[in-house]
C-alpha cells in the first residue's frame, strides 16, 4: 500500500487551501483572477461527474457539454422569460403572489415578471434527469466507440437545436440572467463586490460533491461500477444489475453537469450555444483524462488548473487545439494520466533515498517480482 | 426435491443446435459433473443456467421457482454463483475488493446512501469487508488481501474467484473447468477445496475435462455429445457405459495416457 493521507485530513487540507487562495491573490494584488478561478471550479464539477462515468463505470460520454447546456439554458430561459405578457391568463394572478415568481427589471429597465431562480434550478435538474434517462437507457447498451458516437451525436443535436431555436437566443445565446439568491445571505452573482463570496460558493459546492463522490467510490456502489468497467459479464454474474448501475452513474454525472451549468449561468449572467458544442464535450473528456480518469483528486485539480489557464487566455486562439493535443498526447503516451507516472517517479526517488531495510507491505511476499506492482496495471481509456 | 431442474432446454446458434432438449436434475448437496467432448454444448448449458443465454425452449427451475429467462444478476441473487473458465477477476482492484464485490447481491445501500454515508452504511461496509476477509481465509489466501488482482498467479486467481463466488452465499455453485491450467498439486488442492465447499452445504455443478478429478469428486455425471444427453449416472456407471467410452472416454483416456 502506498502511504496515504487519511481522507478526512485530505479534505480539511484542501478546504484550508481553498480558503487561503483569495487572501494570497489579494496580497499579490491579483484579485481579478478569482473570476476565472470560480468559473473553472464550476467546470471542474462537470469533469468530476465525467470521472465517475468514465473513470469508474468505464462508459465514454462525449455529450456532457450538452447536459451542461441543458442545465444552463433551462435556467436562463425560465429566469429571463417575462411571464407578465400572459396578462389574461387566470393563473397569473395566483402565481404573481407566490414565491415562485420574481418581479425585477430587465437590462433596459423595463419591469418584468419571471420565475425565480430556485424554480428554474429544479426545472433544469428535472429536465436533465429526464433527458439523461432517455439518452442513457438506449445508449448505454452500446459499448466503447459506439457509445462515444451516440453521446457525441446527442451533444451535436442539442447544440443545433439551441442554435435553431428563437427562445434560446439562437447564436446569440441568452443574457440578462438575474443573480440567484441562495438564501443564508449567499448570492450567485458576477458582481465585483461578491467576487470572494462567489468563489467560496463554487469551491464549497465542488468540495461537497468531491466528498460525496469520494464516499461513493469507496462503497459497494463504487466497487460495482469498477467491476462493470473491468469485466461486465463477471460483474453481472456477481449480482450487479449492470445496466441499471451504468444508467444511474450516467444520470448522476449528467445532473452534476447540469448543476454546474445552472450555477455558471447565474454567475456569468448568461450562456451561449458554444457550451453545448462538441468541442466543449471533448474538452471535458480531455480534462478527465489529464487528471487520470479514475482519480477524483487528480481530475479536480487538473481540470481546475487547465480550465483556469484556458479562461485566462494562456492558450490564445489555439484553445481547442491545446485540449485536442492534450487528449491525443495522453491517450498515446500516458493512458493512466500524467499524474500517476509522476507520483511513481517521485516515490521511486524517495524510496532510493530511504535506508534499504525500510520495506513496504509489498515485500511481504517472497516472490515479489516487478510484475506484482499495482502500478503496472494500466487502464485503457476506451474500453 | 431437486435443487436445480433443467427441463427440455434447447438452444441454437444460427443453424447449429448447441443444446438439444436436454433435461437433468441436480439434487441438493450433490456434486454433479457435466462432461463431453469439445463442442458438446457444456459451456452453452452452463451459460443458460447462469442466465447469460436465454434458452429457446424449455424451462429451468431453481428451488421452488422458475428462473427461466432471468438475467445473470437475478440468478446470482436467487442463489446461483459461478466461476469462469478463464478467471475473470477485476484487475483494477486488489484481492480483497474482488471478493467484496461478491457481497454486492447480499447488501443494499445504493448511490445516495453510500454518497452521504447514511447511518448504517459504514457499518454495512465494515461487514462486507469482514465477510470477504472470512472467505479469503477459507480459501487460504488471506495474506494476499492487499495484493492487486492482476499480480496473482493463475492458480491463485482461481481460488480468489472461488472466494468471490462463495461470498454471494450461493446454494448452487457452477464451476466452469476449474482444473484447466492447474498443475497436479493445484488440482489436488482444488479437489479438496471443492469437497470442503460441498460440506458447507453448497451444491456443485461442474464442467471439467480432467477425468481423474471428475471421477474422484462427482456423485453423478451427465455426458453430453453434440448437444444431446447420451448418459447419466454415477462415475462407475459412466466409466462402464459403452456409448460414453466410444464417443468420449476412450479417446480421452488414451490421450491422457499418452501425455
Amino acid at each position: 500500500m502506498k502511504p496515504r493521507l487519511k481522507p478526512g485530513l485530505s479534505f480539511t487540507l484542501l478546504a484550508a487551501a481553498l480558503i487561503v487562495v483569495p487572501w494570497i491573490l489579494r496580497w499579490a494584488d491579483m484579485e481579478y483572477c478569482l473570476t476565472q478561478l470560480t468559473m473553472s471550479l464550476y467546470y471542474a464539477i462537470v469533469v468530476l461527474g465525467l470521472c465517475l462515468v468514465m473513470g469508474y463505470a468505464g462508459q465514454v460520454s462525449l455529450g456532457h457539454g450538452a447536459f451542461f447546456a441543458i442545465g444552463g439554458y433551462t435556467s436562463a430561459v425560465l429566469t429571463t422569460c417575462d411571464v407578465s405578457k400572459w396578462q389574461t391568463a387566470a393563473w397569473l394572478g395566483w402565481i404573481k403572489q407566490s414565491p415562485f415568481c420574481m418581479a425585477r427589471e430587465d437590462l433596459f429597465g423595463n419591469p418584468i415578471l419571471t420565475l425565480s431562480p430556485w424554480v428554474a434550478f429544479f426545472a433544469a435538474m428535472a429536465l436533465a434527469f429526464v433527458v439523461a434517462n432517455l439518452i442513457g437507457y438506449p445508449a448505454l447498451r452500446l459499448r466503447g466507440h459506439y457509445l462515444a458516437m451516440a453521446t457525441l451525436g446527442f451533444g451535436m443535436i442539442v447544440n443545433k437545436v439551441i442554435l435553431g431555436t428563437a427562445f434560446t437566443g439562437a447564436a446569440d445565446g441568452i443574457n440578462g440572467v438575474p443573480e440567484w439568491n441562495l438564501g443564508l445571505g449567499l448570492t450567485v452573482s458576477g458582481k465585483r463586490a461578491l467576487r470572494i463570496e462567489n468563489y467560496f460558493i463554487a469551491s464549497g459546492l465542488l468540495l461537497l460533491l468531491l466528498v460525496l463522490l469520494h464516499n461513493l467510490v469507496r462503497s459497494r456502489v463504487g466497487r460495482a461500477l469498477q467491476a462493470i468497467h473491468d469485466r461486465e459479464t463477471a460483474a453481472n454474474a456477481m449480482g450487479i444489475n449492470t445496466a441499471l448501475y451504468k444508467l444511474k452513474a450516467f444520470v448522476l454525472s449528467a445532473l452534476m453537469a447540469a448543476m454546474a451549468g445552472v450555477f455558471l449561468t447565474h454567475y456569468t449572467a448568461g450562456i451561449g450555444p458554444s457550451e453545448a458544442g462538441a468541442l466543449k464535450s471533448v474538452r471535458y473528456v480531455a480534462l478527465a483524462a489529464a487528471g487520470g480518469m479514475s482519480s477524483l483528486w487528480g481530475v479536480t485539480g487538473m481540470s481546475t488548473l487547465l480550465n483556469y489557464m484556458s479562461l485566462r487566455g494562456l492558450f490564445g486562439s489555439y484553445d481547442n487545439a491545446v485540449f485536442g493535443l492534450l487528449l491525443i498526447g495522453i491517450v498515446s503516451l500516458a493512458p493512466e494520466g500524467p499524474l500517476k507516472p509522476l507520483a511513481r517517479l517521485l516515490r521511486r526517488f524517495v524510496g532510493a533515498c530511504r535506508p534499504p531495510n525500510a520495506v513496504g507491505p509489498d515485500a511481504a511476499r517472497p516472490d515479489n517480482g516487478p510484475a506484482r506492482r499495482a502500478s503496472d496495471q494500466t487502464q485503457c481509456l476506451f474500453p | 426435491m431437486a435443487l436445480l431442474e433443467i427441463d427440455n432446454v434447447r438452444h441454437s446458434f444460427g443453424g447449429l443446435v448447441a443444446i438439444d432438449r436436454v433435461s437433468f436434475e441436480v439434487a441438493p448437496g450433490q456434486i454433479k459433473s457435466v462432461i463431453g467432448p469439445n463442442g458438446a454444448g457444456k459451456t452453452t448449458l452452463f451459460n443458460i443456467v447462469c442466465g447469460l443465454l436465454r434458452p429457446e425452449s424449455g424451462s429451468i427451475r431453481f428451488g421452488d421457482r422458475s428462473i427461466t429467462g432471468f438475467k445473470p444478476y437475478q440468478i446470482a441473487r436467487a442463489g446461483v454463483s459461478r466461476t469462469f473458465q478463464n478467471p475473470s477477476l477485476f484487475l483494477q482492484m486488489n484481492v480483497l475488493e474482488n471478493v467484496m464485490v461478491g457481497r454486492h447481491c447480499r447488501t443494499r445501500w445504493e448511490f445516495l446512501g453510500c454518497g452521504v454515508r447514511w447511518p448504517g452504511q459504514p457499518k454495512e461496509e465494515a461487514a462486507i469487508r469482514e465477510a470477504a476477509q472470512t472467505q479469503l481465509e477459507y480459501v487460504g489466501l488471506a495474506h494476499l488481501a492487499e495484493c492487486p488482482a492482476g499480480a496473482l498467479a493463475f492458480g491463485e486467481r482461481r481460488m480468489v474467484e472461488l472466494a468471490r463466488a462463495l461470498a454471494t452465499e450461493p446454494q448452487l455453485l457452477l464451476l466452469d473447468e476449474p482444473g484447466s491450467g492447474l498443475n497436479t498439486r493445484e488440482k489436488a488442492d482444488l479437489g479438496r477445496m471443492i469437497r470442503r465447499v460441498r460440506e458447507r452445504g453448497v451444491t456443485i455443478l461442474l464442467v471439467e475435462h480432467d477425468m481423474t478429478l471428475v471421477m474422484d469428486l462427482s456423485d453423478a455425471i451427465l455426458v453430453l455429445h453434440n448437444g444431446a444427453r447420451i448418459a447419466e449416472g454415477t462415475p462407475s456407471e459412466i466409466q462402464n457405459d459403452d456409448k460414453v467410452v466410444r464417443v468420449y472416454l476412450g479417446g480421452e483416456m488414451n490421450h491422457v495416457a499418452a501425455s
Side-chain angles (χ1 to χ4, degrees), chain A residues 1 52 211-213 215-216 218-242 244-245 248-249 252 362 365 367 371-374 377-380, chain B residues 52 72-73 76-77 80-82 84 87-93 97 100-102 104-105 107-111 114-117 121 124-125 128 143-144 146-148 150-153 156 164-165 168:
Chain A
M1 283 258 279
L52 180 77
V211 171
L212 287 181
L213 284 195
N215 289 338
L216 188 67
R218 271 156 196 75
S219 71
R220 74 189 272 273
V221 174
R223 282 190 300 272
L225 292 177
Q226 227 172 340
I228 293 170
H229 188 176
D230 269 6
R231 281 171 201 263
E232 205 171 325
T233 312
N236 209 332
M238 286 303 113
I240 298 164
N241 187 346
T242 48
L244 185 67
Y245 263 55
K248 278 186 173 179
L252 179 60
D362 269 0
R365 282 188 70 91
D367 50 350
R372 286 189 173 258
R373 298 236 177 82
Q377 299 295 322
T378 51
Q379 198 157 344
C380 184
Chain B
L52 280 176
Y73 73 90
R77 279 174 202 179
V80 182
S81 196
R82 71 167 293 179
F84 293 82
S88 31
L89 294 181
F90 309 119
L91 298 179
Q92 305 295 331
M93 301 184 206
E97 284 165 342
M100 286 165 85
V101 172
H104 188 90
C105 57
T107 45
R108 63 187 182 94
W109 285 95
E110 286 293 334
F111 279 71
C114 289
V116 300
R117 289 174 74 82
Q121 190 269 335
E124 187 190 76
E125 185 69 14
I128 292 173
H143 58 289
L144 294 181
E146 301 291 332
C147 192
L152 293 183
E156 292 168 336
R164 187 178 71 185
T168 67

Side-chain angles (χ1 to χ4, degrees), chain A residues 65-309:
Chain A
F67 287 112
F68 180 95
I70 285 173
Y73 267 99
T74 311
S75 189
V77 167
L78 293 181
T79 54
T80 53
C81 176
D82 187 8
V83 293
S84 60
K85 59 188 165 199
W86 292 291
Q87 279 294 358
T88 49
W91 48 266
L92 195 71
W94 173 77
I95 210 168
K96 235 183 225 168
Q97 263 81 53
S98 73
F100 301 133
C101 262
M102 186 169 86
R104 61 185 180 94
E105 288 179 352
D106 69 4
L107 288 176
F108 311 102
N110 307 315
I112 55 167
L113 184 71
T114 63
L115 288 174
S116 96
W118 272 110
V119 175
F121 169 72
F122 286 115
M125 297 307 274
L127 183 64
F129 180 83
V130 171
V131 174
N133 274 293
L134 287 178
I135 295 302
Y137 185 76
L140 290 168
R141 265 138 229 276
L142 306 171
R143 283 170 199 228
H145 309 299
Y146 298 101
L147 175 62
M149 275 192 259
T151 48
L152 181 66
F154 159 70
M156 291 169 106
I157 291 169
V158 172
N159 190 17
K160 295 296 170 204
V161 167
I162 288 170
L163 276 172
T165 310
F167 71 83
T168 58
D172 296 332
I174 297 176
N175 47 29
V177 176
E179 50 187 40
W180 177 12
N181 188 349
L182 293 170
L184 303 169
L186 296 173
T187 308
V188 179
S189 155
K191 276 191 196 136
R192 267 186 86 159
L194 299 176
R195 198 147 58 185
I196 293 186
E197 177 183 319
N198 269 274
Y199 163 77
F200 282 127
I201 293 174
S203 43
L205 186 68
L206 179 64
L207 195 64
L208 177 76
L209 290 168
L210 187 62
V211 171
L212 287 181
L213 284 195
H214 175 92
N215 289 338
L216 188 67
V217 300
R218 271 156 196 75
S219 71
R220 74 189 272 273
V221 174
R223 282 190 300 272
L225 292 177
Q226 227 172 340
I228 293 170
H229 188 176
D230 269 6
R231 281 171 201 263
E232 205 171 325
T233 312
N236 209 332
M238 286 303 113
I240 298 164
N241 187 346
T242 48
L244 185 67
Y245 263 55
K246 284 194 288 185
L247 184 63
K248 278 186 173 179
F250 183 75
V251 171
L252 179 60
S253 82
L255 286 179
M256 283 174 70
M259 187 189 279
V262 174
F263 274 85
L264 197 59
T265 300
H266 284 290
Y267 184 61
T268 56
I271 186 167
S274 72
E275 290 294 352
L279 285 171
K280 266 288 160 75
S281 295
V282 172
R283 172 181 298 203
Y284 296 137
V285 173
L287 288 169
M293 226 30 135
S294 63
S295 150
L296 296 176
W297 289 87
V299 162
T300 310
M302 280 304 240
S303 78
T304 308
L305 178 71
L306 289 171
N307 254 322
Y308 174 76
M309 288 164 80

Side-chain angles (χ1 to χ4, degrees), chain A residues 4-13 211 214-215 218 297:
Chain A
R4 278 219 166 142
L5 291 175
K6 277 196 170 155
L9 185 62
S10 320
F11 287 123
T12 317
L13 285 177
V211 171
H214 175 92
N215 289 338
R218 271 156 196 75
W297 289 87

